[in-house]
Amino acid sequence: MRKLNNILITGGAGFIGVNFIRYLLGESKQKSGFNGRIINLDALTYAGNIASLNEVEKKYTNGNYFFIHGDICVRSLIEEIFDKYDIDTIVHFAAESHVDRSILGPEAFIKTNFNGTFTLLDVARSRWKERDDTLFHHVSTDEVYGSLGETGYFTENTPYDPRSPYSASKAASDHLVMSYYHTFNLPITLSNCSNNYGPYQFPEKLIPLMINNMLEGKPLPVYGDGKNIRDWLYVEDHNIAVWEIMQKGRAGEKYNIGGENEWENIKLLDKLIDIVAEKSKTAPDKIRATITYVKDRAGHDRRYAIDCTKIKNELKWKQTVDFETGLKKTVDWYLSNSNWINQIKSGEYQKWIDKNYIKR
Ligand code: NAD
Ligand code: TDX
């Protein structure tokens, strides 16, 4: 098992990164067994919310957690962080992550997802030359594999066939990561995960968008015929898998992670409506009446489904949160954290960042 001491987490103020840091340092610390330092580097784009870690920072971190407000594309900053904190591990979450935004403006996706990954890889290569106790874990998506028909699953050997600028930028970064392993012997691991849901997800993604629109009585926009299929996984289960790979995964290997939990968007929405209706004491039919079919997403992938036999067999990972429980936990979280949403929507949060953090 690898001993991971000084971990650089990129994108640790985003949805999955926040949950990952909470898993390593927060209430679940015992489960993870982590005992080292975390350096969280995040540019705090619209999707990053460092306030999500406020109480973890105050309650649990004891000087073993550092936040740096900066961009993964700035090489001199990455070099400085490597030297100052003696980084031996990177887990790379930072990305532009929303498919719709990549259709409206692909440039930021190429910059962060491709050039940013290159910068991190290249600094790691230069700094880790003489070491044999290091690891670069790259967090990627099942979207790199393209779109499935009615049958079949993505395995680690499925050829890449990305369809959106988002998935193409992630696919390109995956190839670059692999190339650094084969060409320079950089110890890497890579994971391709299906759709995550859970607390702290930015309300542009399907599940939090729908929950918040339901709570506000707004229309529920369903793209196309609503029959596109995604494979949903609770965010903590994704993070446990990432942590297992980082500790025990074989260098140079990629691992698929998935929920084995396929849902047509419209059926998922139906389930979510029942949960929100019950918890907010609203008539389900009143919410159902707000479903609005809208123009389809350009290049909308029809179906994703992950075969995660490899990680299950090799690392003994499995999903722990069933969909019903996970959705209820998620709805509860959004119901009791309306401040988090309101701050993001009002722009108050951006002002708070500008006041409290100097961008490096
Ligand atoms: P997110 O959009 O919620 O968070 C991304 C974070 O990266 C934000 O905090 C943002 O401020 C930061 N960031 C963006 N550009 C940066 C830059 N140039 N420098 C430093 N920080 C920057 O994304 P997420 O949903 O948490 O996804 C995290 C990772 O997991 C991504 O790599 C994504 O591709 C991958 N992934 C996500 C899902 C999912 O369902 N959300 C599924 C599989 C894989
Ligand atoms: O308003 C909506 N209406 C709708 O019908 C939104 C936002 C989405 N959808 C559909 C599109 C997809 O079929 O719901 C499905 C899920 O959409 P998103 O939440 O945008 O996720 P997706 O495009 O599947 O990508 C997500 O999973 C893989 C993440 O955003 C990626 O970062 C991750 O890599």
Side-chain angles (χ1 to χ4, degrees):
M1 187 144 105
R2 282 185 198 92
K3 175 108 182 68
L4 311 167
N5 293 313
N6 297 318
I7 306 185
L8 172 60
I9 298 186
T10 69
F15 162 50
I16 304 178
V18 159
N19 281 285
F20 187 75
I21 292 175
R22 297 180 81 91
Y23 175 66
L24 290 195
L25 294 179
E27 296 91 335
S28 314
K29 185 173 164 40
Q30 303 310 335
K31 270 200 262 172
S32 72
F34 176 64
N35 214 6
R37 295 198 296 180
I38 283 179
I39 295 83
N40 176 8
L41 170 65
D42 197 296
L44 301 181
T45 67
Y46 79 94
N49 190 338
I50 198 61
S52 306
L53 289 167
N54 266 352
E55 121 269 355
V56 166
E57 216 178 313
K58 283 196 197 112
K59 239 163 113 181
Y60 298 100
T61 51
N62 297 329
N64 56 1
Y65 169 81
F66 304 85
F67 173 67
I68 297 160
H69 181 195
D71 191 323
I72 56 165
C73 301
V74 179
R75 187 177 178 113
S76 57
L77 175 63
I78 310 300
E79 288 173 342
E80 194 187 316
I81 294 171
F82 262 73
D83 295 342
K84 183 165 176 193
Y85 297 98
D86 189 24
I87 299 299
D88 54 52
T89 309
I90 298 185
V91 51
H92 177 31
F93 291 103
E96 287 294 334
S97 69
H98 192 43
V99 175
D100 291 333
R101 286 182 191 253
S102 82
I103 297 166
L104 292 171
E107 196 173 343
F109 288 72
I110 306 308
K111 190 173 157 288
T112 289
N113 300 0
F114 187 67
N115 294 340
T117 303
F118 163 69
T119 306
L120 293 167
L121 284 166
D122 212 52
V123 174
R125 170 169 86 99
S126 74
R127 289 302 191 268
W128 288 348
K129 265 190 198 133
E130 312 298 327
R131 298 180 64 157
D132 58 6
D133 59 345
T134 57
L135 181 75
F136 188 114
H137 181 77
H138 181 60
V139 178
S140 191
T141 169
D142 60 358
E143 302 199 12
V144 298
Y145 297 122
S147 183
L148 289 166
E150 280 175 20
T151 57
Y153 295 91
F154 297 135
T155 74
E156 286 81 0
N157 298 322
T158 303
Y160 277 25
D161 185 20
R163 311 294 185 93
S164 71
Y166 163 68
S167 53
S169 68
K170 291 296 289 186
S173 70
D174 289 11
H175 288 314
L176 201 58
V177 169
M178 279 301 181
S179 80
Y180 268 62
Y181 172 72
H182 290 293
T183 310
F184 304 116
N185 237 338
L186 189 79
I188 65 95
T189 46
L190 198 160
S191 52
N192 296 90
C193 189
S194 63
N195 285 60
N196 284 214
Y197 70 101
Y200 303 101
Q201 187 166 31
F202 194 83
E204 65 189 352
K205 306 280 164 58
L206 181 73
I207 289 181
L209 179 123
M210 292 298 181
I211 294 173
N212 287 295
N213 283 13
M214 286 179 209
L215 295 176
E216 291 178 12
K218 289 186 179 161
L220 308 177
V222 175
Y223 297 168
D225 64 3
K227 293 191 174 164
N228 296 65
I229 293 176
R230 297 292 181 265
D231 171 3
W232 293 94
L233 179 69
Y234 193 66
V235 62
E236 193 174 68
D237 278 336
H238 179 192
N239 282 330
I240 293 172
V242 167
W243 186 233
E244 288 295 308
I245 296 167
M246 289 169 67
Q247 293 180 103
K248 298 188 263 176
R250 286 179 291 143
E253 290 291 317
K254 72 203 294 287
Y255 295 86
N256 279 355
I257 308 167
E260 297 178 298
N261 178 38
E262 291 180 51
W263 285 81
E264 275 184 2
N265 292 335
I266 192 68
K267 292 201 174 130
L268 185 163
L269 190 55
D270 202 48
K271 191 175 179 65
L272 197 54
I273 287 173
D274 286 337
I275 296 173
V276 173
E278 194 193 328
K279 290 191 181 281
S280 65
K281 306 205 176 352
T282 314
D285 285 349
K286 190 173 166 210
I287 305 182
R288 241 168 227 114
T290 62
I291 292 177
T292 310
Y293 285 90
V294 298
K295 188 166 174 272
D296 208 355
R297 171 186 280 173
H300 196 176
D301 290 336
R302 192 62 171 170
R303 174 171 167 255
Y304 303 143
I306 280 272
D307 176 337
C308 49
T309 312
K310 180 176 174 180
I311 188 170
K312 285 187 148 177
N313 287 347
E314 255 187 47
L315 305 181
K316 309 295 171 225
W317 171 87
K318 61 176 193 302
Q319 308 88 353
T320 65
V321 180
D322 68 76
F323 202 36
E324 179 93 13
T325 310
L327 282 180
K328 285 184 174 162
K329 280 164 91 153
T330 306
V331 171
D332 282 339
W333 189 85
Y334 282 97
L335 275 170
S336 40
N337 288 277
S338 48
N339 266 355
W340 188 87
I341 293 287
N342 293 338
Q343 276 184 342
I344 290 174
K345 285 192 178 154
S346 65
E348 233 178 81
Y349 165 67
Q350 273 304 331
K351 283 191 217 143
W352 179 83
I353 292 174
D354 294 341
K355 205 172 124 216
N356 288 284
Y357 293 98
I358 298 163
K359 178 137 191 224
R360 304 280 317 272

